[in-house]
Amino acid sequence: MVERAVESAVPEANGVFVTMAFSGPSDRTMRVRLYIDPIDDAALADAVDRAADEAWAVSPIDLVSITLEAVAGQRPEVPPGEVEQVISLRPVAEALGIQARLVASGRLILPEATLTTRYGPAGHGEE
């Protein structure tokens, strides 16, 4: 459900892969991976912003954070759980006015407070 929603929100992506972890109240996280051809920083920032907004809006669980990552190329039929070569989202954070400290290993980690401030209350899968 989340993958389809993010794919609809980011049609320029070559695919989306979403994983969730919810092993307790403090570990309810989502990782959203965009497979996307190299584009300029402004276009990538827009795509990542729309992906985060949509994932937050349709998440079926109460999240404490969403981690976004971008990978060049096409989505494989069976995406790996972890990838090493990610497109750095540091310029994306800067373009979106998000603190650089929220970028780790090229991934943008948005805590619940940032998500609520940027996108409003979580949707929890409601249409």
Side-chain angles (χ1 to χ4, degrees):
M1 170 180 108
V2 177
E3 281 184 9
R4 284 194 309 271
V6 173
E7 284 174 348
S8 294
V10 189
E12 65 271 33
N14 300 320
V16 175
F17 181 58
V18 174
T19 56
M20 287 187 243
F22 39 98
S23 60
S26 64
D27 185 19
R28 296 179 320 275
T29 63
M30 180 187 297
R31 177 176 297 188
V32 177
R33 182 183 305 148
L34 296 178
Y35 287 91
I36 196 161
D37 292 323
I39 51 179
D40 66 56
D41 289 346
L44 184 57
D46 182 55
V48 168
D49 194 38
R50 284 182 279 129
D53 187 10
E54 192 63 23
W56 180 242
V58 302
S59 174
I61 62 172
D62 291 327
L63 296 171
V64 295
S65 70
I66 295 178
T67 299
L68 295 115
E69 60 187 22
V71 176
Q74 300 290 320
R75 180 188 192 272
E77 187 148 336
V78 179
E82 297 288 328
V83 291
E84 295 294 322
Q85 298 298 320
V86 297
I87 300 167
S88 176
L89 297 183
R90 190 165 300 279
V92 166
E94 187 176 313
L96 296 176
I98 294 171
Q99 299 169 349
R101 69 177 178 79
L102 296 179
V103 179
S105 301
R107 294 162 176 88
L108 181 59
I109 303 164
L110 299 176
E112 181 179 14
T114 301
L115 291 161
T116 302
T117 299
R118 285 190 70 80
Y119 308 115
H124 308 301
E126 299 165 3
E127 292 296 315

